[in-house]
Amino acid sequence: MVAKSDTAIILMNLGSPDSTAVPDVKKYLLEFLMDKRVIDYPWLLRKVLVGGIIVPNRAANSAEAYSKVWREDGSPLIALTKQLQTALQHDLEIPVEITMRYGNPSPLATFEKLMKEHPHLKEVVLMPLYPHYAMSSYETAVEYAKEIYKKKKYPFTLKVVEPFYNRPEYIDALAESMRPYLEQDFDHILFSYHGLPERHIRKGDVTGNHCYKVNDCCHVDSAAHKQCYRHQVTITSDLVTEKLGIPRHKWSISFQSRLGREEWVKPYTAGLFETLPKQGVKKLLIVCPAFVSDCLETLEEIAMEGKHSFISNGGDSFTMIPCMNTHPAWVKTVALLCKEEMS
């Protein structure tokens, strides 16, 4: 292991508003949705759409949603990321910090904190807490951190952990976090991943002729897969269900958190909550592997709103499997992935 003052780890997550107050939620949504990699329209159109329509119409409802899941120690996502930081720090002899793509603490604040406390720092390993590559999640987090790093000309080198969607250690950790919930009787398990526009999938296809153009494109080898979110979540689901011995007919994939009217990756999770009970699925398990920390999208959108929809449409039981959060196998995986990047 390198000397304590020589290297450090930064865990990078999405972020949250500073509070559930509407002004704080507005500020957060503006920063988030004005990101050119989230809504990839020209700046002026994005400004009108986000600042003039989306945020004014969504801020109050989003603030109310956040208030349903807010903890005494603040945002669930940030609180759980801090808990992961603490657990990781317990296992390592080097500094571990956290940062957020949007909101606080920002990459600039985290870099500055490290430099102040460890002036002889030579290397920083950045671990984006996104298992899968997407322009609107992993890519924007990494590129934003690199932008700050280059602008400030920090003396340390910055190394980045790549998406780990198919790493055996990650699959094992995800499987172990799910395993206890499989002991109960269930009809079906739904893997609900954060959605994104189909256009993003096509835009990220470096070959220009694979995604949505080749039959069963997610399972046909292609250079496009390195940046294809749809492929990567498919492989995660394939591997973890194989690991757990879940028969193919008892699980499926869906996509949540749709925004706007354009076509997003299908099928939509919200729609399945309405149709699955009518197809005989009365006892549903649901897991959200795109998130490693529980957050608004898992705790409110799925565990609250999703459960209400499923039960209202004829379902009998609905169990959401928590994210890995601070599961010991996940903590060990994070440590391993970060250590691999160290000199």
Side-chain angles (χ1 to χ4, degrees), residues 127-251:
M127 179 161 182
L129 294 174
Y130 302 102
H132 314 92
Y133 190 101
M135 178 175 71
S136 54
S137 58
Y138 180 91
E139 182 181 303
T140 186
V142 171
E143 293 305 316
Y144 184 59
K146 285 182 176 179
E147 180 183 326
I148 301 300
Y149 168 74
K150 292 176 182 177
K151 183 177 181 180
K152 298 293 289 186
K153 298 180 179 178
Y154 290 111
F156 55 80
T157 58
L158 182 65
K159 296 184 177 180
V160 181
V161 176
E162 293 187 349
F164 43 89
Y165 68 98
N166 61 349
R167 286 292 301 264
E169 302 83 1
Y170 162 67
I171 297 300
D172 288 347
L174 179 58
E176 289 310 306
S177 73
M178 294 171 59
R179 194 180 299 278
Y181 296 87
L182 302 180
E183 295 176 0
Q184 63 184 275
D185 185 32
F186 68 94
D187 297 325
H188 195 80
I189 181 166
L190 186 62
F191 288 76
S192 178
Y193 293 91
H194 197 289
L196 73 168
E198 289 184 357
R199 178 171 47 82
H200 281 204
I201 300 293
R202 295 187 175 94
K203 185 175 182 178
D205 182 355
V206 294
T207 71
N209 59 11
H210 185 79
C211 297
Y212 287 112
K213 295 182 178 179
V214 173
N215 186 41
D216 195 21
C217 55
C218 288
H219 289 111
V220 177
D221 286 345
S222 171
H225 289 170
K226 187 174 182 179
Q227 295 184 1
C228 181
Y229 179 77
R230 186 166 171 259
H231 160 76
Q232 293 183 10
V233 303
T234 298
I235 297 305
T236 291
S237 305
D238 288 347
L239 292 174
V240 76
T241 51
E242 180 181 1
K243 181 79 177 180
L244 291 167
I246 303 172
R248 185 61 187 89
H249 69 276
K250 292 202 72 168
W251 65 271

Side-chain angles (χ1 to χ4, degrees), residues 253-272:
I253 298 172
S254 64
F255 298 88
Q256 64 184 84
S257 309
R258 184 184 177 205
L259 175 67
R261 297 181 179 180
E262 67 177 309
E263 292 296 310
W264 279 42
V265 183
K266 298 181 184 70
Y268 301 143
T269 300
L272 291 181

Side-chain angles (χ1 to χ4, degrees), residues 9-237:
I9 292 170
I10 298 177
L11 306 176
M12 189 170 192
N13 218 328
L14 178 72
S16 289
D18 290 333
S19 78
T20 61
V22 173
D24 281 342
V25 175
K26 279 186 176 180
K27 180 181 178 182
Y28 172 76
L29 289 177
L30 280 170
E31 182 183 6
F32 176 31
L33 298 177
M34 279 300 295
D35 184 343
K36 65 182 180 181
R37 289 182 171 88
V38 174
I39 297 181
D40 56 331
Y41 296 159
W43 182 87
L44 183 57
L45 176 57
R46 194 164 70 247
K47 181 70 173 177
V48 172
L49 182 64
V50 173
I53 299 174
I54 298 176
V55 171
N57 289 330
R58 287 176 63 96
N61 288 338
S62 292
E64 181 181 356
Y66 274 110
S67 69
K68 294 178 182 177
V69 301
W70 212 256
R71 303 160 37 135
E72 288 187 5
D73 52 356
S75 154
L77 180 140
I78 294 180
L80 289 165
T81 305
K82 288 180 178 178
Q83 289 179 14
L84 177 62
Q85 172 195 14
T86 300
L88 191 61
Q89 187 68 82
H90 183 268
D91 291 348
L92 299 175
E93 298 178 354
I94 58 175
V96 180
E97 296 292 342
I98 69 168
T99 194
M100 300 293 151
R101 172 58 183 91
Y102 314 103
N104 297 303
S106 68
L108 175 60
T110 302
F111 285 149
E112 291 294 319
K113 182 175 187 291
L114 279 173
M115 286 305 302
K116 182 179 179 179
E117 296 178 357
H118 306 277
H120 302 295
L121 200 62
K122 294 181 180 179
E123 181 179 79
V124 170
V125 175
L126 177 71
M127 179 161 182
L129 294 174
Y130 302 102
H132 314 92
Y133 190 101
M135 178 175 71
S136 54
S137 58
Y138 180 91
E139 182 181 303
T140 186
V142 171
E143 293 305 316
Y144 184 59
K146 285 182 176 179
E147 180 183 326
I148 301 300
Y149 168 74
K150 292 176 182 177
K151 183 177 181 180
K152 298 293 289 186
K153 298 180 179 178
Y154 290 111
F156 55 80
T157 58
L158 182 65
K159 296 184 177 180
V160 181
V161 176
E162 293 187 349
F164 43 89
Y165 68 98
N166 61 349
R167 286 292 301 264
E169 302 83 1
Y170 162 67
I171 297 300
D172 288 347
L174 179 58
E176 289 310 306
S177 73
M178 294 171 59
R179 194 180 299 278
Y181 296 87
L182 302 180
E183 295 176 0
Q184 63 184 275
D185 185 32
F186 68 94
D187 297 325
H188 195 80
I189 181 166
L190 186 62
F191 288 76
S192 178
Y193 293 91
H194 197 289
L196 73 168
E198 289 184 357
R199 178 171 47 82
H200 281 204
I201 300 293
R202 295 187 175 94
K203 185 175 182 178
D205 182 355
V206 294
T207 71
N209 59 11
H210 185 79
C211 297
Y212 287 112
K213 295 182 178 179
V214 173
N215 186 41
D216 195 21
C217 55
C218 288
H219 289 111
V220 177
D221 286 345
S222 171
H225 289 170
K226 187 174 182 179
Q227 295 184 1
C228 181
Y229 179 77
R230 186 166 171 259
H231 160 76
Q232 293 183 10
V233 303
T234 298
I235 297 305
T236 291
S237 305

